[in-house]
Amino acid sequence: PGPTPDEEQLYQRVNCGIRFEGINGVRSRGYDPAGTRRILALLTIEPDAEGLMLVFAEDIRIQLLTPRWTCLLEDVGEPWPTSHRPQHAL
């Protein structure tokens, strides 16, 4: 049997905002920027031949076209406890 809820290690999650500067253009697939405001779950940032590819849950991709960029990442809101730890294939 697995651990009881009292024995499970608690982790914390928090939403964050990310801002990129120095971007010359943007392409997207699966995302409508004119649609409703929502929080996207960013899974990975991959360099590509034209800049950066942001890969989100739900197969949303946003390509940032730039030879040179700057990034700022900041927590937004308060963290909340969770017993779930992300497990992504490497």
Side-chain angles (χ1 to χ4, degrees), residues 20-27 47-53 63-70:
F20 290 91
E21 295 179 352
I23 306 305
N24 299 326
V26 176
R27 294 182 190 142
D48 68 14
E50 297 181 272
L52 297 171
M53 180 66 72
Q63 184 182 31
L64 305 178
L65 307 173
T66 179
R68 191 173 166 100
W69 51 272
T70 303

Short mmCIF file of all heavy atoms in Angstrom, two decimals, residues 20-27 47-53 63-70:
data_model
loop_
_atom_site.label_atom_id
_atom_site.label_comp_id
_atom_site.label_asym_id
_atom_site.label_seq_id
_atom_site.Cartn_x
_atom_site.Cartn_y
_atom_site.Cartn_z
N PHE A 20 9.06 38.16 -22.72
CA PHE A 20 10.21 38.15 -23.61
C PHE A 20 10.34 39.52 -24.25
O PHE A 20 9.34 40.12 -24.65
CB PHE A 20 10.04 37.09 -24.70
CG PHE A 20 10.14 35.68 -24.20
CD1 PHE A 20 9.01 34.99 -23.79
CD2 PHE A 20 11.36 35.05 -24.12
CE1 PHE A 20 9.09 33.71 -23.32
CE2 PHE A 20 11.46 33.75 -23.65
CZ PHE A 20 10.33 33.08 -23.25
N GLU A 21 11.56 40.01 -24.36
CA GLU A 21 11.84 41.28 -25.02
C GLU A 21 12.78 41.03 -26.19
O GLU A 21 13.53 40.05 -26.21
CB GLU A 21 12.45 42.26 -24.04
CG GLU A 21 11.50 42.65 -22.93
CD GLU A 21 12.10 43.62 -21.94
OE1 GLU A 21 13.32 43.89 -22.01
OE2 GLU A 21 11.34 44.11 -21.09
N GLY A 22 12.75 41.92 -27.18
CA GLY A 22 13.61 41.79 -28.34
C GLY A 22 13.03 40.90 -29.42
O GLY A 22 13.74 40.39 -30.27
N ILE A 23 11.70 40.71 -29.40
CA ILE A 23 11.03 39.81 -30.34
C ILE A 23 10.65 40.59 -31.59
O ILE A 23 10.06 41.67 -31.52
CB ILE A 23 9.78 39.19 -29.69
CG1 ILE A 23 10.13 38.50 -28.36
CG2 ILE A 23 9.09 38.23 -30.65
CD1 ILE A 23 11.23 37.46 -28.46
N ASN A 24 10.98 40.04 -32.76
CA ASN A 24 10.67 40.70 -34.04
C ASN A 24 9.34 40.25 -34.64
O ASN A 24 8.77 40.95 -35.46
CB ASN A 24 11.78 40.42 -35.05
CG ASN A 24 13.12 40.96 -34.59
OD1 ASN A 24 13.18 41.98 -33.92
ND2 ASN A 24 14.18 40.26 -34.92
N GLY A 25 8.85 39.08 -34.26
CA GLY A 25 7.61 38.56 -34.79
C GLY A 25 7.17 37.33 -34.02
O GLY A 25 7.94 36.77 -33.25
N VAL A 26 5.92 36.93 -34.23
CA VAL A 26 5.34 35.78 -33.52
C VAL A 26 4.51 34.97 -34.49
O VAL A 26 3.78 35.53 -35.31
CB VAL A 26 4.45 36.26 -32.35
CG1 VAL A 26 3.77 35.09 -31.66
CG2 VAL A 26 5.25 37.08 -31.35
N ARG A 27 4.63 33.66 -34.39
CA ARG A 27 3.74 32.73 -35.10
C ARG A 27 3.14 31.80 -34.04
O ARG A 27 3.79 31.49 -33.06
CB ARG A 27 4.53 31.88 -36.09
CG ARG A 27 5.13 32.62 -37.24
CD ARG A 27 5.84 31.64 -38.16
NE ARG A 27 6.62 32.36 -39.13
CZ ARG A 27 7.81 32.01 -39.57
NH1 ARG A 27 8.38 30.90 -39.13
NH2 ARG A 27 8.45 32.73 -40.45
N PRO A 47 15.01 26.21 -28.38
CA PRO A 47 15.58 27.06 -29.41
C PRO A 47 15.33 26.44 -30.78
O PRO A 47 15.28 25.22 -30.91
CB PRO A 47 17.07 27.09 -29.07
CG PRO A 47 17.30 25.85 -28.27
CD PRO A 47 16.01 25.54 -27.57
N ASP A 48 15.13 27.29 -31.79
CA ASP A 48 15.01 26.78 -33.16
C ASP A 48 15.77 27.73 -34.09
O ASP A 48 16.37 28.71 -33.64
CB ASP A 48 13.55 26.57 -33.59
CG ASP A 48 12.74 27.84 -33.73
OD1 ASP A 48 13.34 28.94 -33.77
OD2 ASP A 48 11.52 27.75 -33.82
N ALA A 49 15.76 27.46 -35.37
CA ALA A 49 16.56 28.22 -36.33
C ALA A 49 16.17 29.69 -36.41
O ALA A 49 16.98 30.54 -36.77
CB ALA A 49 16.44 27.58 -37.72
N GLU A 50 14.92 30.01 -36.04
CA GLU A 50 14.43 31.40 -36.16
C GLU A 50 14.28 32.11 -34.82
O GLU A 50 13.88 33.27 -34.79
CB GLU A 50 13.11 31.42 -36.91
CG GLU A 50 13.24 30.91 -38.35
CD GLU A 50 11.91 30.98 -39.07
OE1 GLU A 50 11.14 30.01 -38.97
OE2 GLU A 50 11.67 32.02 -39.71
N GLY A 51 14.53 31.42 -33.72
CA GLY A 51 14.37 32.04 -32.41
C GLY A 51 14.06 31.01 -31.35
O GLY A 51 14.86 30.13 -31.06
N LEU A 52 12.85 31.10 -30.77
CA LEU A 52 12.42 30.21 -29.69
C LEU A 52 11.04 29.64 -29.99
O LEU A 52 10.18 30.34 -30.52
CB LEU A 52 12.34 30.97 -28.37
CG LEU A 52 13.62 31.56 -27.82
CD1 LEU A 52 13.32 32.45 -26.64
CD2 LEU A 52 14.58 30.45 -27.43
N MET A 53 10.83 28.39 -29.59
CA MET A 53 9.51 27.77 -29.67
C MET A 53 9.02 27.52 -28.25
O MET A 53 9.68 26.83 -27.48
CB MET A 53 9.57 26.45 -30.44
CG MET A 53 8.23 25.76 -30.56
SD MET A 53 7.02 26.68 -31.55
CE MET A 53 7.72 26.42 -33.19
N GLN A 63 5.82 30.49 -31.60
CA GLN A 63 7.21 30.68 -32.03
C GLN A 63 7.54 32.16 -31.95
O GLN A 63 6.82 33.01 -32.48
CB GLN A 63 7.39 30.18 -33.46
CG GLN A 63 8.82 30.27 -33.93
CD GLN A 63 8.98 29.81 -35.37
OE1 GLN A 63 8.08 29.96 -36.19
NE2 GLN A 63 10.14 29.24 -35.66
N LEU A 64 8.63 32.48 -31.25
CA LEU A 64 9.11 33.85 -31.13
C LEU A 64 10.25 34.02 -32.12
O LEU A 64 11.26 33.32 -32.05
CB LEU A 64 9.58 34.13 -29.71
CG LEU A 64 8.57 33.84 -28.60
CD1 LEU A 64 9.19 34.13 -27.24
CD2 LEU A 64 7.30 34.64 -28.80
N LEU A 65 10.08 34.94 -33.06
CA LEU A 65 11.08 35.17 -34.10
C LEU A 65 12.05 36.24 -33.63
O LEU A 65 11.66 37.40 -33.46
CB LEU A 65 10.39 35.58 -35.40
CG LEU A 65 9.28 34.64 -35.88
CD1 LEU A 65 8.55 35.23 -37.06
CD2 LEU A 65 9.85 33.27 -36.20
N THR A 66 13.29 35.84 -33.41
CA THR A 66 14.28 36.76 -32.89
C THR A 66 15.68 36.15 -32.93
O THR A 66 15.82 34.96 -32.65
CB THR A 66 13.96 37.14 -31.43
OG1 THR A 66 14.96 38.03 -30.94
CG2 THR A 66 13.90 35.94 -30.53
N PRO A 67 16.67 36.92 -33.28
CA PRO A 67 18.04 36.41 -33.20
C PRO A 67 18.61 36.56 -31.79
O PRO A 67 19.54 35.88 -31.40
CB PRO A 67 18.81 37.28 -34.20
CG PRO A 67 18.06 38.57 -34.21
CD PRO A 67 16.62 38.21 -33.96
N ARG A 68 18.01 37.48 -30.99
CA ARG A 68 18.53 37.77 -29.66
C ARG A 68 17.36 38.18 -28.78
O ARG A 68 16.52 38.98 -29.18
CB ARG A 68 19.54 38.91 -29.77
CG ARG A 68 20.34 39.15 -28.56
CD ARG A 68 21.42 40.18 -28.91
NE ARG A 68 22.01 40.68 -27.71
CZ ARG A 68 23.17 40.27 -27.23
NH1 ARG A 68 23.86 39.38 -27.88
NH2 ARG A 68 23.64 40.76 -26.12
N TRP A 69 17.31 37.67 -27.56
CA TRP A 69 16.16 37.92 -26.70
C TRP A 69 16.57 38.05 -25.25
O TRP A 69 17.65 37.65 -24.85
CB TRP A 69 15.13 36.80 -26.86
CG TRP A 69 15.72 35.43 -26.69
CD1 TRP A 69 16.29 34.68 -27.67
CD2 TRP A 69 15.87 34.69 -25.49
NE1 TRP A 69 16.77 33.49 -27.15
CE2 TRP A 69 16.52 33.47 -25.81
CE3 TRP A 69 15.52 34.92 -24.17
CZ2 TRP A 69 16.83 32.51 -24.86
CZ3 TRP A 69 15.81 33.95 -23.22
CH2 TRP A 69 16.45 32.77 -23.58
N THR A 70 15.66 38.61 -24.47
CA THR A 70 15.78 38.71 -23.02
C THR A 70 14.49 38.18 -22.43
O THR A 70 13.42 38.38 -23.00
CB THR A 70 15.98 40.18 -22.59
OG1 THR A 70 17.13 40.70 -23.24
CG2 THR A 70 16.14 40.30 -21.09
#
